Coordinates of all heavy atoms in Angstrom, one line a residue:
D1 N 28.5 10.9 -18.4 CA 27.6 10.8 -19.5 C 27.0 12.2 -19.8 O 26.8 13.0 -19.0 CB 26.6 9.7 -19.4 CG 25.6 9.9 -18.2 OD1 25.8 10.9 -17.5 OD2 24.7 9.1 -18.1
L2 N 26.7 12.4 -21.1 CA 26.1 13.7 -21.5 C 24.6 13.5 -21.6 O 24.1 13.5 -22.7 CB 26.8 14.1 -22.8 CG 28.3 14.4 -22.7 CD1 28.9 14.7 -24.1 CD2 28.6 15.5 -21.7
V3 N 24.0 13.4 -20.5 CA 22.5 13.3 -20.5 C 21.9 14.6 -19.9 O 22.3 15.0 -18.8 CB 22.1 12.1 -19.7 CG1 20.6 12.0 -19.6 CG2 22.7 10.8 -20.2
L4 N 21.0 15.2 -20.6 CA 20.4 16.4 -20.2 C 19.4 16.0 -19.1 O 18.4 15.3 -19.4 CB 19.7 17.2 -21.3 CG 19.1 18.5 -21.0 CD1 20.1 19.5 -20.4 CD2 18.4 19.1 -22.2
R5 N 19.6 16.4 -17.9 CA 18.7 16.0 -16.7 C 17.8 17.1 -16.3 O 16.7 16.9 -15.9 CB 19.6 15.6 -15.6 CG 20.4 14.3 -15.9 CD 21.3 13.9 -14.7 NE 22.1 12.8 -15.0 CZ 23.3 12.8 -15.3 NH1 23.9 14.0 -15.5 NH2 24.0 11.7 -15.6
F6 N 18.3 18.4 -16.3 CA 17.5 19.5 -15.9 C 17.6 20.7 -16.9 O 18.6 20.8 -17.6 CB 17.9 20.0 -14.5 CG 17.6 19.1 -13.4 CD1 18.4 18.1 -12.9 CD2 16.3 19.2 -12.8 CE1 18.1 17.3 -11.9 CE2 16.0 18.4 -11.7 CZ 16.9 17.4 -11.3
A7 N 16.6 21.5 -16.9 CA 16.6 22.7 -17.7 C 16.0 23.8 -16.8 O 15.1 23.5 -16.0 CB 15.9 22.6 -19.0
S8 N 16.3 25.0 -17.0 CA 15.7 26.1 -16.3 C 14.9 27.0 -17.2 O 15.4 27.3 -18.3 CB 16.7 26.9 -15.5 OG 17.7 27.5 -16.3
K9 N 13.7 27.4 -16.8 CA 12.9 28.2 -17.6 C 12.6 29.5 -16.9 O 11.9 29.5 -15.8 CB 11.6 27.5 -17.9 CG 10.6 28.3 -18.7 CD 9.3 27.5 -18.8 CE 8.2 28.4 -19.5 NZ 6.9 27.7 -19.4
P10 N 13.1 30.7 -17.3 CA 12.9 31.9 -16.7 C 11.4 32.3 -16.8 O 10.8 32.1 -17.9 CB 13.8 32.9 -17.4 CG 14.4 32.2 -18.5 CD 14.0 30.8 -18.5
E11 N 10.8 32.8 -15.8 CA 9.4 33.3 -15.8 C 9.3 34.8 -15.9 O 10.3 35.5 -15.6 CB 8.7 32.7 -14.6 CG 8.7 31.2 -14.4 CD 7.8 30.5 -15.5 OE1 7.0 31.2 -16.2 OE2 8.0 29.3 -15.6
K12 N 8.2 35.3 -16.3 CA 8.0 36.8 -16.5 C 8.2 37.5 -15.2 O 8.6 38.7 -15.2 CB 6.6 37.1 -17.1 CG 6.5 36.6 -18.5 CD 5.2 37.0 -19.1 CE 5.1 36.5 -20.5 NZ 3.8 36.7 -21.1
D13 N 7.9 36.9 -14.0 CA 8.0 37.6 -12.7 C 9.4 37.6 -12.2 O 9.7 38.0 -11.1 CB 7.0 37.0 -11.7 CG 7.3 35.6 -11.4 OD1 8.3 35.0 -11.9 OD2 6.6 35.0 -10.6
G14 N 10.4 37.0 -12.9 CA 11.8 37.0 -12.5 C 12.1 35.7 -11.8 O 13.3 35.4 -11.5
S15 N 11.2 34.8 -11.5 CA 11.4 33.5 -10.9 C 11.9 32.5 -12.0 O 11.9 32.8 -13.2 CB 10.2 33.0 -10.2 OG 9.1 32.7 -11.2
T16 N 12.3 31.3 -11.5 CA 12.7 30.3 -12.4 C 12.0 29.0 -12.2 O 11.9 28.6 -11.0 CB 14.3 30.1 -12.3 OG1 14.9 31.3 -12.5 CG2 14.8 29.0 -13.2
D17 N 11.6 28.3 -13.2 CA 11.0 27.0 -13.1 C 12.1 26.0 -13.5 O 12.5 26.0 -14.7 CB 9.7 26.9 -14.0 CG 9.1 25.5 -13.9 OD1 9.0 25.0 -12.8 OD2 8.6 25.0 -14.9
V18 N 12.5 25.2 -12.6 CA 13.5 24.2 -12.9 C 12.8 22.9 -13.3 O 11.9 22.4 -12.6 CB 14.5 24.0 -11.7 CG1 15.5 22.9 -12.1 CG2 15.2 25.3 -11.4
Q19 N 13.1 22.4 -14.5 CA 12.4 21.3 -15.0 C 13.3 20.1 -15.2 O 14.5 20.2 -15.5 CB 11.8 21.7 -16.4 CG 10.8 22.8 -16.3 CD 10.3 23.2 -17.6 OE1 10.8 22.8 -18.7 NE2 9.2 24.0 -17.6
A20 N 12.8 18.9 -14.9 CA 13.5 17.7 -15.0 C 13.1 16.9 -16.3 O 11.9 17.0 -16.7 CB 13.2 16.8 -13.8
S21 N 14.0 16.2 -16.9 CA 13.7 15.4 -18.1 C 12.7 14.3 -17.7 O 12.8 13.7 -16.7 CB 15.0 14.8 -18.6 OG 14.7 13.9 -19.6
D22 N 11.7 14.1 -18.6 CA 10.7 13.1 -18.3 C 11.1 11.7 -19.0 O 10.4 10.8 -18.9 CB 9.3 13.5 -18.9 CG 9.3 13.7 -20.4 OD1 10.2 13.4 -21.1 OD2 8.2 14.1 -20.9
G23 N 12.3 11.7 -19.6 CA 12.8 10.5 -20.2 C 12.2 10.2 -21.5 O 12.6 9.2 -22.2
K24 N 11.3 11.0 -22.0 CA 10.7 10.8 -23.3 C 10.9 12.0 -24.3 O 10.2 12.2 -25.2 CB 9.1 10.7 -23.1 CG 8.8 9.5 -22.2 CD 7.3 9.5 -21.9 CE 6.9 8.5 -20.8 NZ 5.6 8.6 -20.4
G25 N 11.9 12.8 -23.9 CA 12.2 13.9 -24.8 C 11.6 15.2 -24.3 O 11.8 16.3 -24.9
G26 N 10.8 15.2 -23.3 CA 10.2 16.4 -22.7 C 10.7 16.7 -21.3 O 11.6 16.0 -20.8
F27 N 10.1 17.7 -20.7 CA 10.4 18.1 -19.4 C 9.2 18.4 -18.5 O 8.2 18.7 -19.0 CB 11.3 19.4 -19.4 CG 12.7 19.1 -20.0 CD1 12.9 19.2 -21.3 CD2 13.7 18.8 -19.1 CE1 14.2 19.0 -21.8 CE2 15.0 18.6 -19.6 CZ 15.2 18.7 -21.0
V28 N 9.3 18.1 -17.2 CA 8.3 18.4 -16.3 C 8.8 19.3 -15.2 O 10.0 19.2 -14.8 CB 7.7 17.1 -15.7 CG1 6.9 16.3 -16.7 CG2 8.7 16.3 -15.0
S29 N 8.0 20.1 -14.6 CA 8.5 21.0 -13.5 C 9.0 20.2 -12.3 O 8.3 19.3 -11.8 CB 7.3 21.9 -13.1 OG 7.8 22.8 -12.1
A30 N 10.2 20.5 -11.8 CA 10.7 19.8 -10.7 C 10.6 20.6 -9.4 O 10.3 20.1 -8.4 CB 12.2 19.4 -10.9
F31 N 11.0 21.9 -9.6 CA 10.8 22.9 -8.4 C 10.9 24.3 -9.0 O 11.3 24.5 -10.1 CB 11.9 22.6 -7.3 CG 13.3 22.8 -7.8 CD1 14.0 24.0 -7.6 CD2 14.0 21.7 -8.3 CE1 15.3 24.1 -8.0 CE2 15.3 21.8 -8.6 CZ 16.0 23.0 -8.5
H32 N 10.4 25.2 -8.1 CA 10.3 26.6 -8.5 C 11.2 27.4 -7.6 O 11.3 27.2 -6.4 CB 8.8 27.0 -8.3 CG 8.6 28.4 -8.7 ND1 8.4 28.8 -10.0 CD2 8.5 29.6 -8.0 CE1 8.2 30.1 -10.1 NE2 8.2 30.6 -8.9
V33 N 11.9 28.4 -8.2 CA 12.8 29.2 -7.5 C 12.3 30.7 -7.6 O 12.2 31.2 -8.7 CB 14.3 29.2 -8.0 CG1 15.2 30.1 -7.2 CG2 14.8 27.8 -8.1
P34 N 11.8 31.3 -6.4 CA 11.3 32.6 -6.5 C 12.4 33.6 -6.9 O 13.6 33.4 -6.8 CB 10.9 32.9 -5.0 CG 10.9 31.6 -4.3 CD 11.8 30.7 -5.1
H35 N 11.9 34.8 -7.4 CA 12.9 35.7 -8.0 C 14.0 36.2 -7.0 O 15.1 36.4 -7.3 CB 12.2 37.0 -8.5 CG 11.6 37.8 -7.5 ND1 12.2 38.9 -6.9 CD2 10.3 37.8 -7.0 CE1 11.4 39.5 -6.0 NE2 10.3 38.8 -6.1
E36 N 13.6 36.2 -5.7 CA 14.6 36.7 -4.7 C 15.7 35.7 -4.4 O 16.7 36.0 -3.8 CB 13.9 37.1 -3.4 CG 13.1 36.0 -2.7 CD 11.7 35.9 -3.1 OE1 11.3 36.5 -4.1 OE2 10.9 35.2 -2.4
D37 N 15.5 34.4 -4.9 CA 16.5 33.4 -4.6 C 17.2 32.9 -5.9 O 18.0 32.0 -5.9 CB 15.8 32.2 -4.0 CG 15.3 32.5 -2.6 OD1 16.1 33.1 -1.8 OD2 14.2 32.1 -2.3
T38 N 16.9 33.5 -7.1 CA 17.5 33.0 -8.3 C 19.0 33.2 -8.4 O 19.7 32.4 -9.0 CB 16.9 33.7 -9.5 OG1 17.0 35.1 -9.4 CG2 15.4 33.4 -9.7
L39 N 19.6 34.2 -7.7 CA 21.1 34.4 -7.8 C 21.8 33.5 -6.8 O 23.0 33.3 -6.9 CB 21.4 35.8 -7.5 CG 21.0 36.8 -8.6 CD1 21.3 38.2 -8.2 CD2 21.6 36.5 -9.9
T40 N 21.1 32.9 -5.8 CA 21.7 32.2 -4.7 C 21.2 30.7 -4.7 O 21.5 30.0 -3.7 CB 21.5 32.9 -3.4 OG1 20.1 33.1 -3.2 CG2 22.3 34.2 -3.3
T41 N 20.5 30.3 -5.7 CA 20.1 28.9 -5.8 C 20.6 28.3 -7.1 O 20.2 28.9 -8.1 CB 18.6 28.7 -5.6 OG1 18.2 29.2 -4.4 CG2 18.1 27.3 -5.8
S42 N 21.3 27.2 -7.1 CA 21.8 26.7 -8.3 C 22.2 25.2 -8.2 O 22.4 24.7 -7.1 CB 23.1 27.4 -8.8 OG 24.1 27.3 -7.8
L43 N 22.2 24.5 -9.3 CA 22.6 23.1 -9.3 C 24.1 23.1 -9.2 O 24.8 23.8 -9.8 CB 22.2 22.4 -10.7 CG 20.7 22.1 -10.8 CD1 20.4 21.8 -12.3 CD2 20.4 20.9 -9.9
A44 N 24.6 22.1 -8.3 CA 26.0 22.0 -8.1 C 26.6 20.7 -8.6 O 27.8 20.6 -8.8 CB 26.3 22.1 -6.6
G45 N 25.8 19.7 -8.9 CA 26.3 18.5 -9.4 C 25.3 17.3 -9.2 O 24.2 17.5 -8.7
F46 N 25.8 16.1 -9.6 CA 25.0 14.9 -9.5 C 25.8 13.8 -8.9 O 27.0 13.8 -8.9 CB 24.6 14.4 -10.9 CG 23.7 15.4 -11.6 CD1 24.2 16.4 -12.4 CD2 22.3 15.4 -11.4 CE1 23.4 17.3 -13.1 CE2 21.5 16.3 -12.1 CZ 22.1 17.3 -12.9
D47 N 25.1 12.8 -8.3 CA 25.8 11.6 -7.8 C 26.1 10.7 -9.0 O 25.7 11.0 -10.1 CB 25.0 10.9 -6.7 CG 23.7 10.2 -7.3 OD1 23.4 10.4 -8.5 OD2 23.1 9.4 -6.5
K48 N 26.8 9.6 -8.8 CA 27.2 8.7 -9.9 C 26.1 8.1 -10.6 O 26.2 7.8 -11.8 CB 28.2 7.7 -9.4 CG 29.5 8.2 -9.0 CD 30.5 7.1 -8.6 CE 31.8 7.7 -8.2 NZ 32.8 6.8 -7.9
T49 N 24.9 7.9 -9.9 CA 23.8 7.3 -10.6 C 23.0 8.3 -11.5 O 22.3 7.9 -12.3 CB 22.8 6.7 -9.6 OG1 22.2 7.8 -8.9 CG2 23.4 5.7 -8.6
G50 N 23.2 9.6 -11.2 CA 22.5 10.6 -12.0 C 21.1 10.8 -11.5 O 20.3 11.6 -12.1
K51 N 20.7 10.1 -10.4 CA 19.3 10.2 -9.9 C 19.2 11.2 -8.8 O 18.1 11.6 -8.4 CB 18.8 8.9 -9.5 CG 18.7 7.9 -10.6 CD 18.1 6.6 -10.2 CE 18.3 5.6 -11.3 NZ 17.2 5.0 -11.9
K52 N 20.3 11.7 -8.2 CA 20.3 12.6 -7.2 C 21.1 13.8 -7.6 O 22.2 13.7 -8.1 CB 20.9 12.1 -5.9 CG 20.0 11.0 -5.3 CD 20.4 10.6 -3.9 CE 19.6 9.4 -3.5 NZ 18.9 9.6 -2.3
A53 N 20.6 15.0 -7.4 CA 21.3 16.3 -7.7 C 21.6 17.0 -6.4 O 20.9 16.8 -5.4 CB 20.4 17.1 -8.6
F54 N 22.7 17.7 -6.4 CA 23.0 18.5 -5.3 C 22.9 20.0 -5.7 O 23.3 20.4 -6.8 CB 24.5 18.2 -4.9 CG 24.6 16.8 -4.4 CD1 25.1 15.8 -5.3 CD2 24.3 16.4 -3.2 CE1 25.2 14.5 -4.9 CE2 24.4 15.1 -2.8 CZ 24.9 14.2 -3.6
L55 N 22.3 20.8 -4.8 CA 22.0 22.2 -5.1 C 22.5 23.0 -3.9 O 22.5 22.6 -2.8 CB 20.5 22.4 -5.2 CG 19.7 21.8 -6.3 CD1 19.0 20.6 -5.7 CD2 18.7 22.7 -6.8
V56 N 22.9 24.2 -4.3 CA 23.1 25.3 -3.3 C 21.7 26.0 -3.3 O 21.3 26.5 -4.3 CB 24.2 26.3 -3.6 CG1 24.3 27.4 -2.7 CG2 25.5 25.5 -3.7
D57 N 21.0 25.9 -2.2 CA 19.6 26.3 -2.2 C 19.3 27.4 -1.1 O 19.6 27.1 0.1 CB 18.8 25.1 -1.9 CG 17.3 25.3 -2.1 OD1 16.8 26.4 -2.3 OD2 16.5 24.3 -2.0
S58 N 18.9 28.5 -1.5 CA 18.6 29.6 -0.5 C 17.1 29.8 -0.3 O 16.6 30.7 0.4 CB 19.2 30.9 -0.9 OG 18.7 31.4 -2.1
R59 N 16.3 29.0 -1.0 CA 14.8 29.1 -0.9 C 14.3 28.9 0.5 O 14.6 27.8 1.1 CB 14.1 28.1 -1.8 CG 14.4 28.4 -3.3 CD 13.8 27.3 -4.1 NE 14.4 26.0 -3.8 CZ 13.8 24.8 -4.0 NH1 12.6 24.8 -4.5 NH2 14.4 23.7 -3.7
G60 N 13.7 29.9 1.1 CA 13.1 29.8 2.4 C 14.2 29.7 3.6 O 13.8 29.3 4.7
R61 N 15.4 30.1 3.3 CA 16.4 30.0 4.4 C 17.5 31.1 4.1 O 17.7 31.6 3.0 CB 17.0 28.7 4.5 CG 17.8 28.2 3.3 CD 18.5 26.9 3.4 NE 17.6 25.8 3.7 CZ 17.0 25.1 2.8 NH1 17.1 25.4 1.5 NH2 16.2 24.1 3.1
N62 N 18.2 31.4 5.2 CA 19.3 32.3 5.1 C 20.3 31.9 6.2 O 19.9 31.9 7.4 CB 18.9 33.8 5.3 CG 20.0 34.7 5.1 OD1 21.0 34.4 4.5 ND2 19.9 35.9 5.6
P63 N 21.4 31.4 6.0 CA 22.1 31.3 4.7 C 21.7 30.2 3.8 O 20.9 29.3 4.3 CB 23.6 31.2 5.1 CG 23.5 30.4 6.3 CD 22.3 30.9 7.0
A64 N 22.3 30.1 2.7 CA 22.0 29.0 1.7 C 22.4 27.6 2.3 O 23.3 27.6 3.2 CB 22.7 29.2 0.4
A65 N 21.9 26.5 1.8 CA 22.3 25.2 2.3 C 22.6 24.3 1.1 O 22.1 24.5 0.0 CB 21.1 24.6 3.1
L66 N 23.5 23.4 1.3 CA 23.7 22.3 0.3 C 22.7 21.3 0.5 O 22.5 20.7 1.6 CB 25.1 21.7 0.5 CG 25.5 20.6 -0.5 CD1 25.5 21.1 -1.9 CD2 26.8 20.0 -0.1
V67 N 21.9 21.0 -0.5 CA 20.8 20.1 -0.4 C 20.9 19.0 -1.4 O 21.5 19.2 -2.5 CB 19.4 20.8 -0.5 CG1 19.2 21.8 0.6 CG2 19.1 21.4 -1.8
E68 N 20.3 17.9 -1.1 CA 20.3 16.7 -2.0 C 18.8 16.6 -2.6 O 17.9 16.6 -1.8 CB 20.6 15.5 -1.3 CG 20.7 14.2 -2.1 CD 21.0 13.0 -1.2 OE1 22.1 13.0 -0.6 OE2 20.2 12.1 -1.2
L69 N 18.7 16.6 -3.9 CA 17.4 16.5 -4.5 C 17.3 15.1 -5.2 O 18.1 14.8 -6.0 CB 17.2 17.6 -5.6 CG 16.0 17.5 -6.5 CD1 14.8 17.9 -5.7 CD2 16.2 18.4 -7.7
D70 N 16.3 14.4 -4.7 CA 16.0 13.1 -5.4 C 15.2 13.4 -6.6 O 14.0 13.8 -6.5 CB 15.2 12.2 -4.4 CG 14.9 10.8 -5.0 OD1 15.9 10.1 -5.3 OD2 13.7 10.6 -5.2
A71 N 15.8 13.2 -7.8 CA 15.2 13.7 -9.1 C 13.8 13.0 -9.3 O 12.9 13.7 -9.7 CB 16.1 13.4 -10.2
P72 N 13.7 11.7 -9.1 CA 12.4 11.1 -9.5 C 11.2 11.6 -8.6 O 10.1 11.8 -9.1 CB 12.6 9.6 -9.2 CG 14.1 9.4 -9.4 CD 14.7 10.7 -8.9
S73 N 11.5 11.9 -7.3 CA 10.4 12.3 -6.4 C 10.4 13.8 -6.1 O 9.4 14.3 -5.6 CB 10.5 11.5 -5.1 OG 11.6 12.0 -4.4
S74 N 11.5 14.5 -6.5 CA 11.7 15.9 -6.2 C 11.7 16.2 -4.7 O 11.5 17.3 -4.3 CB 10.6 16.8 -6.8 OG 10.7 16.7 -8.2
S75 N 12.0 15.2 -3.9 CA 12.2 15.4 -2.4 C 13.5 16.0 -2.2 O 14.5 15.7 -2.8 CB 11.9 14.1 -1.6 OG 13.0 13.2 -1.9
V76 N 13.6 16.9 -1.2 CA 14.8 17.6 -0.8 C 15.3 17.3 0.6 O 14.5 17.3 1.5 CB 14.6 19.1 -1.0 CG1 15.9 19.9 -0.5 CG2 14.3 19.5 -2.4
T77 N 16.6 17.0 0.8 CA 17.2 16.7 2.1 C 18.3 17.7 2.3 O 19.2 17.8 1.4 CB 17.7 15.3 2.2 OG1 16.6 14.4 1.8 CG2 18.2 15.0 3.5
V78 N 18.3 18.4 3.4 CA 19.4 19.3 3.7 C 20.7 18.5 4.1 O 20.6 17.7 5.0 CB 19.1 20.3 4.8 CG1 20.2 21.2 5.1 CG2 17.9 21.2 4.3
S79 N 21.8 18.8 3.3 CA 23.0 18.1 3.7 C 23.9 18.9 4.6 O 24.4 18.4 5.6 CB 23.8 17.9 2.4 OG 23.1 17.0 1.5
S80 N 24.0 20.2 4.4 CA 24.7 21.1 5.3 C 24.4 22.5 5.0 O 23.9 22.9 3.9 CB 26.2 20.9 5.1 OG 26.7 21.3 3.9
I81 N 24.6 23.4 6.0 CA 24.4 24.8 5.8 C 25.7 25.4 5.3 O 26.8 25.2 5.8 CB 24.0 25.5 7.2 CG1 22.8 24.8 7.8 CG2 23.8 27.0 7.0 CD1 21.5 25.0 6.9
V82 N 25.6 26.2 4.3 CA 26.7 26.8 3.6 C 27.1 28.1 4.3 O 26.3 28.9 4.6 CB 26.5 27.1 2.1 CG1 27.7 27.7 1.5 CG2 26.1 25.8 1.4

């Protein structure tokens, strides 16, 4: 389905605010990516329900990890180290 689930908002300091759809036509902040991780942190896909997103995430770690993001709660679970 073609449902907009996330949007990224670049910040003046080079970081990115990743925002999730609030279901009412607006967006709320889901997580923040510091400027040093913007090139190595990205959305990789969604599960079939559209409620879980998969990210390649380098925030606070080296190397990056494949993580599962529960969209409603913004909780993150590491799936594997990339």
